[in-house]
Amino acid sequence: YKDVVEALELFLKAAPALQHVETYQYDLVDLTRQVLSDLFDYWLILLEQEYNLGDQTNFLKHRDFLIEVIKDMDLILATNKKFLLGVWIKDAESWAQSEDEIGLYRFNAKNQITEWGPVTSSLHDYSGKQWAGLVDDFHLPRWELYFKTLEEALWNKTDYDSELFLKESYALEEGWLYDSKDYPTEPQGDSVDIANQLIKKYRGLTEDHDTAHRKPTYGLFSFGGFYFILPLIVYMMFKP
């Protein structure tokens, strides 16, 4: 994490000369996205630890922090057209020759970058993307549901109900696939300004923790690959 933060800080120093270059703009957003993704992985470890310790106060703290990271990722992604869900969907819809085809092509475009088939498919997020709109409207609700399920088990001192979580998550996903919401096709916000704000906000947050150099017990985790390793996470966190 410290290495990618340092890389982003150095990259931002080139902004005065390169901020209007398209390739620089893309790489800046992508690098900031990676910083946030790595930070999310790290704090998920802390959430796991607090759950296992029964520490309700810090569990809530880490839950809120993770949700904030996800929202900030959507914020930086929204600043570059290459990371907009709306562009992907509109491009698919542009091939349609009827209203029925518009709905079909929209559904297929959304399905390809999420379920890769039916909602019960084992290939969830096979082609998962971290795009503005997708992060905020698809990934975030799943994570909020996941945290809610953990929280209920922690508060009630009951076992984590993975079957209930998956059932409710599938319902969320299917609803999103059929939703006809329009997403922006033009960037919002300034990439350099927002990247600078985020690096100041998150710099140094892992430096004082004894887990700073520890890898997750279940392997590298990124919320873009939610279902690939979720069963393994559930097993590692809640095994007898």
Side-chain angles (χ1 to χ4, degrees):
Y1 174 72
K2 292 180 181 179
D3 289 342
V4 290
V5 169
E6 182 180 359
L8 179 56
E9 290 175 331
L10 292 172
F11 205 71
L12 280 165
K13 290 181 179 180
L18 300 174
Q19 60 184 324
H20 299 298
V21 178
E22 183 178 352
T23 49
Y24 176 85
Q25 295 169 357
Y26 178 94
D27 287 345
L28 176 61
V29 172
D30 197 32
L31 184 54
T32 308
R33 177 206 59 78
Q34 188 63 55
V35 167
L36 295 176
S37 182
D38 289 356
L39 184 63
F40 185 93
D41 295 343
Y42 171 80
W43 277 77
L44 191 64
I45 296 172
L46 301 183
L47 185 81
E48 170 198 348
Q49 293 175 339
E50 304 306 341
Y51 177 89
N52 290 329
L53 291 171
D55 187 338
Q56 297 178 349
T57 299
N58 282 310
F59 176 90
L60 292 176
K61 170 187 172 183
H62 296 147
R63 177 207 63 186
D64 292 345
F65 183 85
L66 288 166
I67 290 173
E68 190 172 355
V69 170
I70 295 174
K71 292 180 177 179
D72 281 340
M73 179 179 285
D74 199 83
L75 184 67
I76 185 66
L77 293 170
T79 64
N80 190 284
K81 196 165 187 173
K82 301 292 186 182
F83 294 93
L84 298 183
L85 173 64
V87 172
W88 171 259
I89 293 176
K90 285 299 182 185
D91 183 59
E93 292 176 343
S94 70
W95 292 89
Q97 298 182 19
S98 68
E99 287 298 318
D100 288 342
E101 284 191 353
I102 289 176
L104 175 63
Y105 291 176
R106 181 194 306 119
F107 174 87
N108 284 335
K110 295 169 79 173
N111 184 273
Q112 183 180 339
I113 56 174
T114 54
E115 310 301 320
W116 199 264
V119 292
T120 56
S121 170
S122 61
L123 295 177
H124 269 79
D125 295 303
Y126 174 73
S127 183
K129 308 295 183 183
Q130 291 176 345
W131 287 346
L134 184 63
V135 168
D136 200 48
D137 276 7
F138 184 79
H139 292 302
L140 177 57
R142 291 194 302 176
W143 278 110
E144 289 177 326
L145 176 62
Y146 182 59
F147 298 147
K148 174 177 173 287
T149 309
L150 288 182
E151 182 181 341
E152 290 176 350
L154 181 59
W155 260 245
N156 297 326
K157 296 181 170 56
T158 57
D159 292 335
Y160 170 80
D161 193 339
S162 60
E163 291 186 3
L164 176 62
F165 164 73
L166 290 175
K167 179 181 178 180
E168 293 181 351
S169 184
Y170 290 154
L172 279 176
E173 295 162 19
E174 188 166 26
W176 181 83
L177 287 173
Y178 285 98
D179 184 45
S180 59
K181 175 180 176 179
D182 288 327
Y183 290 91
T185 56
E186 294 297 329
Q188 302 175 32
D190 183 270
S191 302
V192 174
D193 288 345
I194 292 177
N196 272 308
Q197 292 170 19
L198 294 178
I199 198 67
K200 291 176 182 177
K201 178 177 180 179
Y202 292 115
R203 182 192 291 116
L205 284 179
T206 65
E207 292 178 356
D208 298 327
H209 295 287
D210 58 6
T211 53
H213 301 292
R214 173 188 158 205
K215 294 182 181 297
T217 57
Y218 34 77
L220 182 61
F221 188 70
S222 172
F223 62 80
F226 191 87
Y227 279 115
F228 271 133
I229 62 172
L230 182 57
L232 178 59
I233 293 175
V234 172
Y235 173 74
M236 292 297 292
M237 290 178 68
F238 313 113
K239 63 183 179 180

